[in-house]
Amino acid sequence: MSTTYRAIDWNRQKRVYDGTLGGLLALGLGLFVGISVLVSPNITVETLLIRGSSVSALLLLHVILCIGPLARLNPRFLPLLYNRRHLGVTLFLLALLHGAFATVQFHALGDENPLVSVLTAYGRDYRVFADGRINLPHFPFEPFGVLALFLFFLMAATSHDFWLRNLGASFWKAMHLGVYLAYGSVLVHVALGVLQSERGAIFPGLLAVGFVVVAGLHLAAARKETRIDRGKPLGEADGYAETCRVEDVAEGRGKVVLVAGQRIALFRHQGRIHATSNVCRHQGGPVGEGRIVDGCITCPWHGWNYQPEDGCSPPPFTEVLETYDTRIQDGRVWVRTIANPPRQHCAGTAVTAT
Amino acid sequence: MVVVVQTSLILLAAYGVLGLIFALAFHGRGLPAVDTNTRGAGVGFRWIITPGIVALWPLLAWRWRTAHGRGSFPGGPDAPVPARRLRAAHALAWKALATTAPVIVAAALWSRPPEAPRSRIPLPSPSPSSSADSLRSAPQNLLTNRVRHAAVF
Ligand code: HEM
Ligand code: FES
């Protein structure tokens, strides 16, 4: 976008979002502390802090990982996606609290630099084979926590749109795929750490359920995505490709179609059909799943606007979406396979002109 | 091992110090040069991007250079979002995660010793004074904690 940056562009939606997040976290932590104190009355404050922060961070990580596919599967979850960067920053802060307290508690008592100790303490006496079997129970598990914390830091530190714009969406998005590496590291951190000393089945069970839910949702969303890209090719003539029926594009609504293997967004606005690229200039959100709001195409993810006639964001913003010529033939929308020059005015096709 | 870790931490600290110095310069002259939207931006915005500047300063230095017309920076504000490539990368990341994570966790569970590993760790010396002592006491400290609160899980 193109207005002066602010630390956080507060609006009502974000306040509600952050308020809910804070409330749920406080509730979860309160429950955790309450149950822990009831179950083991002589639990120390340090342990409560280490465990409360790590467990809530792990929970939040699962929520974060589910939001993407949930929003792909059902638009009702879109409000969760809107401000998820605040979830990421909160996750990092919780994980930092956990890592810092764990380091102080377990590594700060000797003369050695605590950071060196975190990275080497378990590794020093470690042997791959012990007692005739692979010695996983003593595997150094803390470095995996450090790796995850480092990745969470990178993602949290670059969550402002300033970074998205200046590192480029491609690099920024790729860097944020690091969340999966971080998730894998956390799984190893927990499996080789706390699961080796806690004998119960509850924690491994919860971890497995979490993984199945996160993976299952991603699989379902991926199937939906491939179905979009596998749409059977329809007719093509004079540089135009046949797409859906005119009725499939409701007034004020968008529709994603395939044109020469590319996803294109169709919109009907004031009785005219317009076609634009489906890839939002912000974070690549699916423009065609959005709507027309106040005469502008509005991306479903974070609400960036584009004018249907020329793909330009309304001033003072400067982003431009590619537009495509359209025509209507036998009740079907045909879209030109080559984009118009940027910013070119394109009136769209009146629906009655069949 | 310890030497490698110590050296890496020193290098990391040096990188961070350079990053801090860079951040000062960048806040002074770099921001308006690379991104006009930062003109008139407040102190809150400056604080919020500073950790990232310290961490990613070589990238920003590169971007700053290209803002003066020297060389080119891949990506940048006007580069298209490669939606297809990102989807493919996303799928690849999941395939890697879905195949490795369950195997590692299953192996870790399967290899849990019959009794808690604390029995294998020597008792700590009462007050850790040398680094060797502190090392042993660290896991012990950890494990007494774990045992004390095992009931939570
Ligand atoms: C500097 C980085 C980290 C260090 C030094 C560290 C250290 C530790 C230690 C020593 C334990 C065992 C605590 C106990 O048994 O009472 C632990 C457990 C755990 N860690 Fe970490 N950790 C780090 C980062 C992370 C991160 C980034 C996460 C991600 C959310 C995480 C999640 C957990 C979880 C869920 C547990 C099990 C519950 C618990 O015992 O607290 N850790 N960590
Ligand atoms: S992706 Fe953020 S508004 Fe479109």
Side-chain angles (χ1 to χ4, degrees), chain A residues 5 85 158-173 281-284 302 304, chain B residues 76-77:
Chain A
Y5 291 125
R85 67 186 66 189
T158 56
S159 65
H160 195 279
D161 268 351
F162 166 80
W163 294 103
L164 179 60
R165 192 176 145 86
N166 286 290
L167 298 178
S170 170
F171 179 82
W172 190 87
K173 288 289 251 188
R281 299 291 321 195
H282 180 217
Q283 286 185 27
H302 316 91
W304 280 29

Side-chain angles (χ1 to χ4, degrees), chain A residues 37 45 70 85 171 192 198 276 311 336:
Chain A
V37 171
V45 177
L70 277 176
R85 67 186 66 189
F171 179 82
L192 297 181
E198 307 292 350
T276 68
R336 189 141 181 242

Side-chain angles (χ1 to χ4, degrees), chain A residues 1 5 47 111 122 198 261, chain B residues 35 37 84 112 129 142 145:
Chain A
M1 295 228 170
Y5 291 125
T47 306
D111 327 327
Y122 282 84
E198 307 292 350
Chain B
D35 190 340
N37 293 356
R84 250 162 196 271
R112 285 207 278 191
S129 48
L142 175 106
N145 258 293

Side-chain angles (χ1 to χ4, degrees), chain A residues 121-199:
Chain A
Y122 282 84
R124 236 170 268 192
D125 300 324
Y126 181 72
R127 299 277 172 282
V128 181
F129 290 100
D131 299 345
R133 59 196 299 181
I134 296 182
N135 183 17
L136 278 181
H138 295 102
F139 197 88
F141 70 98
E142 285 177 324
F144 289 95
V146 175
L147 173 62
L149 187 62
F150 172 71
L151 293 167
F152 291 141
F153 164 72
L154 275 188
M155 291 183 277
T158 56
S159 65
H160 195 279
D161 268 351
F162 166 80
W163 294 103
L164 179 60
R165 192 176 145 86
N166 286 290
L167 298 178
S170 170
F171 179 82
W172 190 87
K173 288 289 251 188
M175 185 164 73
H176 282 68
L177 281 180
V179 73
Y180 296 115
L181 181 58
Y183 179 43
S185 299
V186 171
L187 287 178
V188 175
H189 176 67
V190 172
L192 297 181
V194 77
L195 292 194
Q196 298 300 324
S197 51
E198 307 292 350
R199 308 300 300 159

Side-chain angles (χ1 to χ4, degrees), chain A residues 262-318:
Chain A
Q262 292 246 44
R263 292 184 193 182
I264 299 292
L266 296 182
F267 282 91
R268 190 197 287 211
H269 176 48
Q270 297 178 336
R272 307 183 79 86
I273 299 281
H274 300 269
T276 68
S277 152
N278 188 47
V279 183
C280 181
R281 299 291 321 195
H282 180 217
Q283 286 185 27
V287 173
E289 291 170 29
R291 292 185 289 155
I292 305 273
V293 178
D294 295 333
C296 276
I297 295 172
T298 305
C299 176
W301 280 11
H302 316 91
W304 280 29
N305 290 139
Y306 307 94
Q307 293 158 175
E309 313 78 46
D310 54 10
C312 294
S313 292
F317 304 113
T318 52

Side-chain angles (χ1 to χ4, degrees), chain A residues 175-349:
Chain A
M175 185 164 73
H176 282 68
L177 281 180
V179 73
Y180 296 115
L181 181 58
Y183 179 43
S185 299
V186 171
L187 287 178
V188 175
H189 176 67
V190 172
L192 297 181
V194 77
L195 292 194
Q196 298 300 324
S197 51
E198 307 292 350
R199 308 300 300 159
I202 299 178
F203 208 48
L206 287 178
L207 217 56
V209 169
F211 185 80
V212 169
V213 168
V214 171
L217 283 172
H218 274 85
L219 199 64
R223 286 175 66 121
K224 191 175 169 185
E225 293 289 309
T226 36
R227 235 178 293 139
I228 297 177
D229 285 332
R230 286 231 187 93
K232 62 175 174 350
L234 302 164
E236 224 183 294
D238 330 322
Y240 280 77
E242 183 180 357
T243 66
C244 60
R245 288 175 312 180
V246 178
E247 312 90 83
D248 295 340
V249 195
E251 176 64 33
R253 298 280 160 162
K255 163 113 187 124
V256 181
V257 295
L258 262 195
V259 172
Q262 292 246 44
R263 292 184 193 182
I264 299 292
L266 296 182
F267 282 91
R268 190 197 287 211
H269 176 48
Q270 297 178 336
R272 307 183 79 86
I273 299 281
H274 300 269
T276 68
S277 152
N278 188 47
V279 183
C280 181
R281 299 291 321 195
H282 180 217
Q283 286 185 27
V287 173
E289 291 170 29
R291 292 185 289 155
I292 305 273
V293 178
D294 295 333
C296 276
I297 295 172
T298 305
C299 176
W301 280 11
H302 316 91
W304 280 29
N305 290 139
Y306 307 94
Q307 293 158 175
E309 313 78 46
D310 54 10
C312 294
S313 292
F317 304 113
T318 52
E319 282 73 27
V320 192
L321 215 55
E322 283 146 341
T323 62
Y324 295 81
D325 281 336
T326 51
R327 67 183 193 209
I328 294 173
Q329 205 176 309
D330 302 329
R332 299 192 79 93
V333 180
W334 289 66
V335 179
R336 189 141 181 242
T337 49
I338 298 169
N340 293 322
R343 293 167 221 275
Q344 176 179 295
H345 188 87
C346 164
T349 312

